[in-house]
Amino acid sequence: MTPDHVAHNRGFWDADADAYQDAHGDGLARAPLAWGVYRAPESELRVLGDLHGLDVLELGCGAAQWSVALAALGVRAVGLDLSGAQLAYARDAAPTLPLVLANGEQLPFADAGFDVVFCDHGALSFCEPAVIVPECARVLRAGGTLAFSATHPLLSLTWNEKKQRQSRKLCMAFDDLGRMEFGEGTIDWSLPASVWIRLLREHGFQIEDLFELCAPAGASTTYEDFAPVAWARRWPAEWIWKARRR
């Protein structure tokens, strides 16, 4: 039986694909090898490092702007997404790129098939962490890298639901972090660092780095409903986790 969040998120992304790519597709294509809402360059952060000749899975790829750019650099990239409507954009952009329509909580790959599994605000935000993390561990080779960007929990903790705006004050109890439902939007997970640490270690990962991203000076973004730029300049709205499979 398909979990309710999987069906919900698939429906959302299928319905929103055209609007999403109209709003963000060109910007993502112009800066494909970059992280998050403010497109922090991979060349500066070095989260993934040298991927030449490696087997890489982009988990929740959307239109696969990352994977298209990586494949052009000689990386054996595979894009996976829950939404067929999103993958249609990827097929148009790169007809020969391997693309898989699947749920990130049930990866249709053999054990130890990839050197790197990563996502940029992808499946590790929209899947149940206790299910998807062991799946990532299963398909990674020993010594392989898991890296993912996601919304920083501070953004959830300071969201004023009554006024429908970002606050400079804590508005949510820390214990309420977890599964987050946003009305007609997606169902996401926002976990504190302690939970991610325990979960990653439980499934054989050694944490190598954590990047907490504030918006740089002069930043702009097409994701205008994500967080006010003035807020994101002062506090991290996003983070990137990097862990290695022991």
Side-chain angles (χ1 to χ4, degrees), residues 45-56:
L45 296 181
R46 304 292 294 169
V47 178
L48 301 178
D50 184 7
L51 299 177
H52 184 77
L54 298 185
D55 295 302
V56 176

Side-chain angles (χ1 to χ4, degrees), residues 11-72:
F12 174 88
W13 285 114
D14 280 345
D16 193 58
D18 291 343
Y20 182 89
Q21 294 302 328
D22 284 347
H24 311 299
D26 288 345
L28 294 173
R30 284 195 300 270
L33 303 180
W35 296 91
V37 166
Y38 299 103
R39 313 309 293 152
E42 165 65 10
S43 60
E44 296 179 7
L45 296 181
R46 304 292 294 169
V47 178
L48 301 178
D50 184 7
L51 299 177
H52 184 77
L54 298 185
D55 295 302
V56 176
L57 173 62
E58 184 181 2
L59 199 53
C61 65
Q65 286 92 348
W66 266 93
S67 289
V68 171
L70 290 175

Side-chain angles (χ1 to χ4, degrees), residues 62-204:
Q65 286 92 348
W66 266 93
S67 289
V68 171
L70 290 175
L73 298 176
V75 179
R76 293 191 295 272
V78 176
L80 178 146
D81 204 272
L82 180 66
S83 167
Q86 288 280 1
L87 285 181
Y89 282 91
R91 291 190 186 95
D92 288 343
T96 62
L97 181 72
L99 297 169
V100 178
L101 177 63
N103 171 16
E105 296 179 13
Q106 296 176 310
L107 297 178
F109 305 112
D111 295 356
F114 294 96
D115 301 295
V116 175
V117 173
F118 82 99
C119 65
D120 184 20
H121 284 275
L124 275 108
S125 295
F126 305 114
C127 293
E128 186 172 356
V131 179
I132 194 172
V133 169
E135 272 293 271
C136 292
R138 181 183 65 78
V139 301
L140 273 170
R141 295 171 181 140
T145 295
L146 172 64
F148 59 95
S149 71
T151 301
H152 198 289
L154 190 57
L155 206 62
S156 299
L157 292 169
T158 56
W159 173 251
N160 188 316
E161 180 67 24
K162 184 177 181 179
K163 295 183 179 180
Q164 288 291 295
R165 68 184 187 191
Q166 212 64 47
S167 170
R168 297 182 180 184
K169 299 179 180 180
L170 296 174
C171 300
M172 176 191 290
F174 189 74
D175 287 345
D176 288 339
L177 289 172
R179 174 172 161 147
M180 314 294 290
E181 300 191 28
F182 301 99
E184 296 180 358
T186 55
I187 296 174
D188 303 4
W189 269 263
S190 182
L191 303 181
S194 57
V195 176
W196 278 118
I197 290 169
R198 286 194 294 271
L199 187 58
L200 290 165
R201 293 181 64 185
E202 178 184 351
H203 294 287

Side-chain angles (χ1 to χ4, degrees), residues 209-232:
D209 215 334
L210 174 60
F211 304 80
E212 295 182 286
L213 304 180
C214 293
S220 62
T221 179
T222 58
Y223 296 88
E224 296 175 354
D225 58 349
F226 180 69
V229 174
W231 190 101

